[in-house]
Amino acid sequence: MIEVDARGLSCPEPVMMTYDALKKNKEVKVLVDEAYQKTNVEKLAREKGYKSSSKNVDNYYEVVITK
């Protein structure tokens, strides 16, 4: 599983980084700061045919994407 730490970055960077990671691996964990970033990453996963689950961890969100 590839981990993408996109905390502190502004959109669309987290989405672009997630897309690049999905090209390399079928399982990706994405860390983001804001709820709208989490939503955007989950939307990308759906559009590309992946499943996602997310949870709030301390002061950030963790989104796990799988095929």
Side-chain angles (χ1 to χ4, degrees), residues 42-54:
E42 291 171 331
K43 182 179 176 185
L44 170 71
R46 275 193 315 276
E47 289 175 353
K48 298 299 177 188
Y50 290 84
K51 297 175 186 173
S52 67
S53 62
S54 61

Side-chain angles (χ1 to χ4, degrees), residues 24-42:
K24 299 174 187 169
N25 199 314
K26 300 292 183 206
E27 294 185 351
V28 177
K29 181 190 296 183
V30 185
L31 309 177
V32 293
D33 294 313
E34 303 292 335
Y36 74 91
Q37 295 169 325
K38 174 185 76 77
T39 301
N40 289 344
V41 168
E42 291 171 331

